[in-house]
Amino acid sequence: MTFSSSYVCVTCGTNTPADASGAPLATCIICDEPRQYVRSSGQEWTTLDSLKSAGKHTNTFTPTEADPENLISISTSPSFAIGQRGILVRTPKGNILWDCITYIDEETVARIKELGGLKAIVISHPHYYSCLKEWSDAFGGIPVYTHTNDKKWVQRPADNHIFWEGTSIDLLDGEIKVLCPGGHFDGSSLLLWNKNLLVADTMMVAASRRSVSFMYSFPNYWPLPPQDVKTVWKTVRPYEFDNILGAWVGKDIVGNGRNIVHESAKLYTQYCGHDTAKYYGSDAEELSFD
């Protein structure tokens, strides 16, 4: 498996086209933005072929606690760039990969095919676009879904790239629902399947695994406005879900997930110094989404 002459940002793992001369760009637009960062040593690039030829990285498949058979983490070891996981969602109507990781090789493709292959890739937000085109190509050009609100961040779109609109989209004949509450990015999305909510960075599973938090920038510690947090809650409130799967291996909340999001949103608002009643009010106000 060989790759194009594009470049990969070492900090965020995003695959970016070369400039007109074939050299890497001066900056990474993902990192040179308030929600990410450029390392103190400056911008650094590599390539997928270089990562592969170095022989240092492998991808690990880890069953999740929420559903060991049907929700499987895919992560790179040793960790590369941001270090997020992709999650293989195995459904009766086919498999979807939730979020991308940078590294891909023949062994990874073979293992996914053993587990039923892929029908599509759905990516939550720009920090996890990584090498989406290479992943799509490796499985025959399968569609990649990203929200149209984040279209400007896509550096190398897939040949079959679908920029979806609105607040939700159903995939695999309604087997999977993808929701867009925004917040962290305008197009930040969630995936709902079989009472499991896959959240990426739209909300962050806390270290205790008993709460979630919400941020505009996680590495730079910029909080999300309370109104945006309420929008996240309003988006998921109509749905039943028990488990919450975050962006990293082991960041899973098993059981009581919907109530945890609600209580976390209220606590977040309170400790940001705002009147919780103004945003959440009584049960009657909750029902009307005021």
Side-chain angles (χ1 to χ4, degrees):
M1 181 181 290
T2 58
F3 303 102
S4 70
S5 58
S6 58
Y7 292 89
V8 173
C9 175
V10 172
T11 302
C12 73
T14 301
N15 195 332
T16 301
D19 67 15
S21 70
L25 302 178
T27 61
C28 168
I29 71 163
I30 300 294
C31 290
D32 194 23
E33 195 269 343
R35 281 163 286 203
Q36 249 298 98
Y37 62 95
V38 177
R39 294 179 179 182
S40 58
S41 57
Q43 180 62 46
E44 184 179 354
W45 300 95
T46 186
T47 67
L48 280 171
D49 282 333
S50 295
L51 289 173
K52 184 180 174 184
S53 63
K56 295 180 179 179
H57 295 285
T58 58
N59 285 337
T60 302
F61 290 70
T62 307
T64 64
E65 186 177 350
D67 187 337
E69 292 294 323
N70 299 310
L71 295 171
I72 300 173
S73 302
I74 308 174
S75 59
T76 301
S77 180
S79 181
F80 178 74
I82 295 174
Q84 78 276 6
R85 64 177 169 182
I87 300 178
L88 181 65
V89 184
R90 305 175 69 203
T91 87
K93 296 184 179 180
N95 298 349
I96 279 182
L97 179 66
W98 168 249
D99 278 333
C100 255
I101 59 177
T102 300
Y103 190 70
I104 181 171
D105 58 15
E106 292 87 347
E107 291 76 15
T108 301
V109 174
R111 179 63 179 137
I112 291 175
K113 288 180 177 179
E114 289 175 1
L115 293 167
L118 284 180
K119 285 196 170 181
I121 298 168
V122 184
I123 306 183
S124 61
H125 72 292
H127 290 153
Y128 300 158
Y129 287 171
S130 58
C131 292
L132 62 85
K133 177 172 170 50
E134 281 67 26
W135 278 82
S136 172
D137 290 348
F139 291 93
I142 58 174
V144 176
Y145 291 85
T146 58
H147 198 276
T148 191
N149 286 354
D150 292 337
K151 185 175 182 177
K152 68 179 180 180
W153 302 104
V154 177
Q155 299 302 288
R156 296 185 69 241
D159 294 340
N160 187 7
H161 204 118
I162 299 172
F163 294 98
W164 63 281
E165 301 179 352
T167 57
S168 69
I169 185 172
D170 291 332
L171 303 177
L172 303 183
D173 298 323
E175 181 76 17
I176 282 177
K177 183 176 288 289
V178 184
L179 307 169
C180 178
H184 180 51
F185 273 81
D186 290 343
S188 284
S189 300
L190 307 159
L191 186 148
L192 182 66
W193 176 71
N194 198 26
K195 294 192 175 181
N196 296 286
L197 187 69
L198 283 56
V199 300
D201 288 0
T202 304
M203 59 184 85
M204 184 66 66
V205 174
S208 67
R209 301 201 307 168
R210 293 185 298 211
S211 64
V212 297
S213 191
F214 313 84
M215 298 288 278
Y216 179 77
S217 171
F218 287 97
N220 298 316
Y221 309 112
W222 290 8
L224 201 64
Q227 186 57 52
D228 289 354
V229 174
K230 184 181 179 184
T231 298
V232 174
W233 164 243
K234 286 169 60 178
T235 300
V236 302
R237 189 185 188 280
Y239 304 100
E240 295 294 332
F241 56 94
D242 296 325
N243 308 318
I244 302 172
L245 286 80
W248 284 273
V249 174
K251 287 288 188 178
D252 301 339
I253 294 173
V254 179
N256 201 33
R258 185 172 175 277
N259 183 61
I260 284 172
V261 173
H262 187 212
E263 293 304 312
S264 296
K266 290 194 292 185
L267 282 171
Y268 179 96
T269 301
Q270 175 185 339
Y271 287 111
C272 281
H274 297 270
D275 181 6
T276 301
K278 174 184 175 182
Y279 290 91
Y280 295 92
S282 68
D283 290 341
E285 288 170 329
E286 280 283 277
L287 288 171
S288 65
F289 290 157
D290 289 341

